[in-house]
Amino acid sequence: MNAPLSFALSPPAAAVRSHLDALEAEAIHILREVAAECRNVALLFSGGKDSAVVLHLALKAFFPERPTFTLLHIDTEHNFPEVIAFRDAAAARSGLALAVRSVGDSIRSGRVRLRGPDEPRNRHQSVTLLDAIAELGFDACIGGARRDEEKARAKERIFSFRDEFGQWDPKNQRPELWSLYNARVAPGENMRVFPLSNWTELDIWQYIEREAIELPSIYFSHVRPVVRRGAAIVAVTGLTPAREGERVESLPVRFRTVGDITCTAPVESRAATLAQIVAETAATRITERGATRLDDQANEAAMELRKKEGYF
C-alpha cells in the first residue's frame, strides 16, 4: 500500500510570496495543463535533482490525488549505483508506475551502434527514448531541463513540439502568449514539456532545501578516488579507470549533475548540507554543465544536435 502524501500548507493569500512561490505556482500550472490537454503523459525521471523536483511538484500539483503520469527512465546502464537505488526508492514512494528502457538493449538489438566501447552513451538515449515513446504511446513527456543549463535549452518553448520523427525544429514551434499552451498533436507527434524552464540551478537548490526533497547521496560532499584531466576531475570507477601516468587522489567531491559515468565529472567540494550547497552555488561562476559534463565541453553544439535528433 502506498504511503500517504503530505505537504506543507501554502502561505495565506495576504502573505508575501517569494520568488520560489512564483516559480512553484508556474510549474504547477504547467503540470496541470499537460495533464488536462494530453492523453498519455510520461515524466522523465532519472533520479537526478531536477527530475526529483519535477516529481515533487507533480505530486503537489494533484494532491491529495496522485497524477496519472508514468515515470520513464532512459537508462544508459552507465549510471552511478546510488542514483539507481534512489530512482527505485523515489518511484516506490510516489506510487507512480516506473518504466525503464535501456540504451544497452538498443545497442544489443542493433538500433544503436557505438564507435567504440568507451564512447559515452548520453547522445544515444535519443533512439531509446523515441522507441519508448512509440512503444508506450506517450503524447507528452515532461522533462526537467532548465534554460540556464546551456544555449540550446534556452531556445526551447515550455511546450516543445516534436514532429512525427521525434525531432525538434526550433523554427517550427508554437507561440506561448499569456502562458497559453497548445498541446494539440497528430498521431506520432508529441510534446516535450519543461515546467522548470524559468528556474536556475540556485532556484533548484533553494527549493530542495525549503521542501526537504530527498536526493541521491552523491550530490553531497564525500571522499572518493579521482584523477585530474585538464580542468576536470574524473571519478575513478570500473568504467573510468585511471590512465597510465595519472595520479589517483582521494578528494572531497560532490556532483552538480548526474548522468553517464563516462562523461559526468564531480567538483571538489566540502558542501555536505543543503545550506552549504546553496551558498556554494550562489558563489560559483562556472555553469553546471560547463563544470561537470565532459561530452558537452568537447562540443559546444552537441546539445542542439542531439535535441534535433530527438534528445530530451
Side-chain angles (χ1 to χ4, degrees), residues 4-206:
L5 299 174
S6 62
F7 296 101
L9 294 175
S10 300
V16 175
R17 297 179 67 84
S18 71
H19 77 288
L20 292 180
D21 294 325
L23 289 171
E24 179 188 72
E26 178 188 52
I28 285 175
H29 167 67
I30 292 165
L31 289 164
R32 289 172 177 168
E33 280 293 303
V34 70
E37 294 194 46
C38 299
R39 174 184 52 82
N40 187 14
V41 180
L43 193 162
L44 301 173
F45 187 72
S46 66
K49 67 182 188 307
D50 297 315
S51 62
V53 167
V54 175
L55 175 57
H56 179 85
L57 288 163
L59 294 173
K60 203 167 186 177
F62 299 96
F63 180 78
E65 301 298 325
R66 284 180 169 81
T68 57
F69 306 153
T70 298
L71 301 181
L72 174 63
H73 182 212
I74 305 302
D75 185 0
T76 64
E77 296 186 1
H78 284 176
N79 296 286
F80 291 95
E82 300 96 324
V83 179
I84 296 301
F86 173 81
R87 177 203 69 187
D88 293 342
R93 284 195 303 271
S94 75
L96 304 185
L98 172 65
V100 178
R101 295 296 182 269
S102 172
V103 176
D105 287 340
S106 299
I107 294 169
R108 289 183 283 274
S109 68
R111 292 280 292 145
V112 168
R113 295 187 179 183
L114 301 180
R115 287 172 291 186
D118 299 331
E119 181 185 355
R121 295 183 176 185
N122 268 357
R123 67 181 299 268
H124 299 293
Q125 288 177 292
S126 303
V127 172
T128 311
L129 173 61
L130 296 180
D131 287 348
I133 290 171
E135 173 198 351
L136 299 172
F138 295 125
D139 57 349
C141 293
I142 301 168
R146 308 185 320 268
R147 286 174 178 162
D148 73 323
E149 289 182 76
E150 44 73 50
K151 295 176 182 178
R153 294 206 191 275
K155 297 180 181 181
E156 284 279 18
R157 300 292 170 87
I158 290 175
F159 275 61
S160 177
F161 173 74
R162 305 298 171 104
D163 66 19
E164 65 273 22
F165 302 105
Q167 296 181 330
W168 171 71
D169 179 358
K171 297 179 180 179
N172 185 27
Q173 298 299 314
R174 298 166 179 178
E176 294 182 339
L177 304 176
W178 307 292
S179 297
L180 297 175
Y181 306 112
N182 179 359
R184 186 178 302 164
V185 293
E189 300 170 343
N190 67 88
M191 302 298 296
R192 306 288 172 82
V193 182
F194 302 106
L196 303 183
S197 289
N198 292 323
W199 298 53
T200 66
E201 183 187 8
L202 180 58
D203 295 328
I204 291 291
W205 282 113
Q206 289 175 327

